[in-house]
């Protein structure tokens, strides 16, 4: 699924028309959307936000060149592995570290996957389902770049 997100970015020339910093800002916007969705107790919005966060992190990982076979295997394992959830949903939202700190460690870190898995589980879904949801939303999306951010056609 991550490969789909990267290819989507390549197909739309995202990596030449945007920047790592713009993608981090988009990630942070989606993190805010996740907090709002959790507050509303809205599963669809939670899935949308988590999926979009992973899309943004995929793009930042591409910029950072931390997108390699080993990190992808670890990331896939982390998505599907069991995590002992002892935190509340709000605690998990708070645990999502600053994007730049996370990305310095690479996409495969459990500091990304564990809090997101905790939130997904509390909304009776999985990270993979959130990623599938994001892919179904963006795969055919058309638009253009304005100020380094992709703006979808209406």
């Amino acid at each position: 699924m991550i490969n789909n997100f990267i290819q989507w970015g390549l197909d739309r020339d995202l990596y030449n028309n945007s920047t790592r910093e713009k993608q981090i800002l988009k990630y942070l916007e989606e993190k805010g959307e996740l907090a709002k969705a959790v507050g509303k107790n809205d599963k669809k919005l939670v899935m949308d936000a988590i999926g979009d966060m992973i899309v943004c992190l995929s793009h930042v990982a591409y910029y950072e060149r931390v997108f390699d076979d080993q990190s992808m295997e670890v990331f896939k394992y982390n998505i599907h592995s069991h995590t002992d959830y002892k935190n509340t949903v709000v605690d998990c939202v708070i645990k999502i570290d600053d994007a730049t700190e996370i990305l310095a460690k690479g996409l495969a870190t459990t500091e990304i996957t564990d809090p997101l898995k905790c939130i997904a589980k509390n909304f009776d879904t999985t990270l993979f389902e959130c990623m599938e949801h994001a892919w179904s939303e963006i795969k055919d999306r058309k638009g253009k770049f304005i100020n380094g951010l992709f703006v979808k056609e209406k």
Side-chain angles (χ1 to χ4, degrees), residues 133-151:
H133 175 75
W135 179 242
S136 72
E137 292 286 317
I138 70 167
K139 66 180 176 181
D140 298 318
R141 185 171 286 164
K142 294 182 180 6
K144 61 183 177 180
F145 286 90
I146 299 175
N147 199 18
L149 293 175
F150 187 79
V151 178

Side-chain angles (χ1 to χ4, degrees), residues 57-119:
L57 290 171
S58 301
H59 297 316
V60 175
Y62 185 86
Y63 280 115
E64 293 289 321
R65 306 293 188 247
V66 294
F67 188 77
D68 58 30
D69 290 340
Q70 181 181 359
S71 65
M72 286 310 305
E73 287 306 312
V74 173
F75 185 69
K76 287 177 192 173
Y77 173 79
N78 288 343
I79 288 172
H80 298 290
S81 67
H82 173 74
T83 300
D84 190 16
Y85 305 98
K86 293 184 172 139
N87 297 311
T88 67
V89 177
V90 174
D91 290 335
C92 291
V93 171
I94 292 168
K95 280 187 175 228
I96 300 170
D97 290 337
D98 177 76
T100 52
E101 290 179 25
I102 290 171
L103 293 166
K105 300 170 189 168
L107 185 61
T109 179
T110 57
E111 290 170 351
I112 294 171
T113 53
D114 284 356
L116 293 177
K117 282 194 304 189
C118 170
I119 296 163

Side-chain angles (χ1 to χ4, degrees), residues 17-73:
N17 288 299
S18 188
T19 64
R20 171 189 175 275
E21 291 76 17
K22 292 286 185 177
Q23 292 304 306
I24 289 172
L25 289 173
K26 185 66 179 165
Y27 165 87
L28 294 171
E29 176 185 326
E30 295 300 338
K31 181 179 169 185
E33 292 294 319
L34 177 60
K36 190 161 122 181
V38 167
K40 289 183 174 183
N41 200 32
D42 188 319
K43 179 180 178 177
K44 184 180 181 312
L45 291 177
V46 165
M47 290 180 71
D48 190 58
I50 289 174
D52 289 348
M53 288 172 71
I54 293 173
V55 170
C56 294
L57 290 171
S58 301
H59 297 316
V60 175
Y62 185 86
Y63 280 115
E64 293 289 321
R65 306 293 188 247
V66 294
F67 188 77
D68 58 30
D69 290 340
Q70 181 181 359
S71 65
M72 286 310 305
E73 287 306 312

